[in-house]
Amino acid sequence: EGGDVLVVTGSLSTLDHAEKLRGFEHCAASLFAGLRVAQVIEDHEDLDESYAKCRKALQRGGSIRAVYAATVNSLPVLRALDGLGLAGKVKVITTDLFPALIPFLRSGAVAASIHQRPLSQGRIGFQSVYRYLTEGLCPAPVVRLWPELVLRSNLDVFLERNQRYHAPNTSAISC
């Protein structure tokens, strides 16, 4: 339907965070007419800073229809939404998956989470270094790893395949 999006990230001086924002803005502009980034919050990976800034932005911006939490610090964002009575009314997409986020996916408070597959990233990095040191093979300058989109509908399949994310099945919204 379009509308304003609040983007929450760690620090735009971190290349990964800046690239996520750039990619989001590019796709929003080219694929979804009417969707625009209304505000970007840098929370510097600080839970209290994230909560305070998000609460302030959400109170001020009645036009915010969605939040993209492009940081592992999505819990303060969810707490701010819940405290303002906006949980479930504002669409939330997060980055990263961790056990405390699972109840929010189950309840629908989080529409989706972009899982970056950190174990695969680490394995690929280790294998690249190992092959360089043992075989002299230089790794490719860019190695792409497709993220996984975790939704309520595929959460149980994802959890079965990735036992380390297992968390109790609860639909309570709490941080």
Side-chain angles (χ1 to χ4, degrees):
E1 297 176 15
D4 289 345
V5 179
L6 174 66
V7 177
V8 182
T9 190
S11 173
L12 293 175
S13 64
T14 301
L15 180 63
D16 179 55
H17 298 179
E19 288 293 301
K20 285 179 190 171
L21 175 62
R22 188 178 66 76
F24 185 88
E25 288 175 325
H26 173 74
C27 286
S30 63
L31 300 175
F32 300 100
L35 186 68
R36 82 175 187 90
V37 174
Q39 184 177 351
V40 177
I41 292 176
E42 291 181 84
D43 68 11
H44 305 100
E45 305 297 345
D46 180 277
L47 299 173
D48 294 331
E49 180 180 355
S50 184
Y51 174 78
K53 286 181 173 181
C54 289
R55 185 172 174 89
K56 184 177 178 181
L58 291 164
Q59 284 176 318
R60 190 178 53 228
S63 64
I64 300 292
R65 308 257 336 245
V67 176
Y68 173 39
T71 171
V72 73
N73 280 343
S74 52
L75 294 180
V77 175
L78 295 165
R79 191 166 48 108
L81 286 163
D82 190 46
L84 294 169
L86 297 173
K89 296 176 185 172
V90 172
K91 289 289 182 198
V92 178
I93 306 293
T94 65
T95 298
D96 297 322
L97 184 68
F98 48 95
L101 190 63
I102 292 170
F104 295 98
L105 281 159
R106 289 200 189 283
S107 72
V110 171
S113 188
I114 303 167
H115 179 54
Q116 299 180 82
R117 302 173 56 198
L119 289 178
S120 293
Q121 288 182 28
R123 184 180 63 249
I124 290 168
F126 179 82
Q127 288 171 341
S128 296
V129 169
Y130 178 82
R131 291 192 76 195
Y132 175 74
L133 294 174
T134 61
E135 301 170 28
L137 294 174
C138 289
V142 175
V143 177
R144 298 193 194 290
L145 178 67
W146 290 104
E148 295 178 322
L149 189 61
V150 182
L151 310 165
R152 182 172 33 182
S153 62
N154 69 355
L155 178 60
D156 288 326
V157 172
F158 180 86
L159 293 175
E160 285 174 19
R161 202 178 72 221
N162 299 279
Q163 290 296 321
R164 65 192 166 87
Y165 290 104
H166 186 68
N169 183 358
T170 175
S171 61
I173 295 180
S174 61
C175 293

